Amino acid sequence: RRVLFRSHGIKKAGETVFAVLEWIEGQTLLELLEERSQPLPESQALEIVLQVAEALAHLGAAGLVHRDVKPGNVMLTPRGEVKLIDLGFCAPAGEQAAADSATGTAEYLAPEQAVGGGAADLRSDVYSLGATLFQLTIGRLPFEPGEDDDVLRQHVMERLSSPELKGRGHSAHLRYFIEKMMAKDADLRYQSWEELLEDMRARDLEPDVISFNSAISACERAGQWQVALTLFADIAARGLTPTVISFSAAISACEKGGQWQRALR
């Protein structure tokens, strides 16, 4: 499916140079949220983010990074098609930004970009897409809006906190996706679009399958044992029989988190 908008080339009229782009009927996700005055259903939000990730993977295959992923740059057509737009900040992977500038929109900017001088990196787009997923499902920005400098400081210094995300209305999978995508350390996020897409597409499989993948990843990366335990608990709550290997991963997560008594139980 074609998720990127279509370009019809560059034209010139007199001294004016302009791009001819596809006309897209519909509205941006930001306009949709403002119109609804409430979050999107989790399943719809995850499907939208999956399609945006496919578009970003297409850019990545061409060696490009979008650098301004946000609800205002994603359109939804009346037929339910998702279109990623606005490549104004797009740059070759690895291109260095000026030391005193942050490229993108403050409310969705990854910490390494917020401090200025960051190189174009797909993992920064992963963070911005995670912030987009947060807004789509929770109905607000991850950090309090305000002056750009204050918002950027929060992305760098403040821990992501959302009581709504831990509520009964959202799955453990959603929480895992957001926390992994919005990790402060870029090395703890998804390292490729293929890795993210694999997890996203697996969300409709038996929960023990995706929890196995997630638990292993959580155990391997910086002691994210709490997420692994959350996913394992989700399996138990559904009355499913976990696979032996996912059970072992949960035990490992308990041990790495120092929760020895829980591991013994």
Side-chain angles (χ1 to χ4, degrees), residues 2-208:
R2 186 171 56 83
V3 186
L4 276 171
F5 68 90
R6 187 186 297 278
S7 171
H8 299 290
I10 304 296
K11 308 291 183 181
K12 184 175 183 181
E15 297 300 317
T16 303
V17 178
F18 59 94
V20 181
L21 306 177
E22 172 188 11
W23 167 259
I24 302 174
E25 183 182 0
Q27 59 187 162
T28 68
L29 295 182
L30 185 59
E31 291 169 337
L32 178 61
L33 287 173
E34 291 172 347
E35 180 183 280
R36 288 171 51 89
S37 299
Q38 60 181 335
L40 298 183
E42 179 181 318
S43 59
Q44 182 184 11
L46 285 170
E47 178 58 29
I48 289 172
V49 166
L50 171 64
Q51 292 189 46
V52 174
E54 289 176 344
L56 292 166
H58 182 74
L59 283 178
L64 300 172
V65 179
H66 189 282
R67 301 204 299 178
D68 198 21
V69 179
K70 59 182 179 181
N73 281 341
V74 179
M75 293 192 68
L76 191 64
T77 74
R79 295 182 297 277
E81 298 171 329
V82 175
K83 300 286 187 180
L84 178 64
I85 63 173
D86 195 350
L87 302 183
F89 286 143
C90 191
E95 181 174 289
Q96 203 76 28
D100 59 348
S101 68
T103 303
T105 301
E107 288 78 9
Y108 308 92
L109 212 56
E112 65 274 13
Q113 302 298 331
V115 297
D121 188 330
L122 74 86
R123 297 174 299 177
S124 300
D125 277 358
V126 168
Y127 183 96
S128 299
L129 188 57
T132 296
L133 178 59
F134 183 99
Q135 187 173 7
L136 293 180
T137 52
I138 303 302
R140 64 174 176 83
L141 292 165
F143 297 104
E144 289 296 322
E147 295 294 328
D148 282 357
D149 286 349
D150 185 53
V151 174
L152 295 176
R153 179 193 61 78
Q154 292 180 71
H155 279 291
V156 175
M157 303 296 295
E158 298 292 334
R159 180 177 178 273
L160 179 65
S161 177
S162 173
E164 308 100 315
L165 193 57
K166 300 176 182 179
R168 292 181 177 273
H170 298 294
S171 72
H173 300 329
L174 176 68
R175 180 181 172 188
Y176 173 76
F177 286 137
I178 291 176
E179 290 186 348
K180 184 176 179 70
M181 294 168 76
M182 293 191 67
K184 298 294 186 189
D185 186 343
D187 289 338
L188 302 182
R189 297 176 210 144
Y190 288 103
Q191 301 298 294
S192 70
W193 292 115
E194 289 71 23
E195 183 187 359
L196 186 153
L197 288 168
E198 181 182 0
D199 265 7
M200 284 272 180
R201 289 166 180 156
R203 72 184 188 276
D204 292 328
L205 299 176
E206 285 295 310
D208 57 324

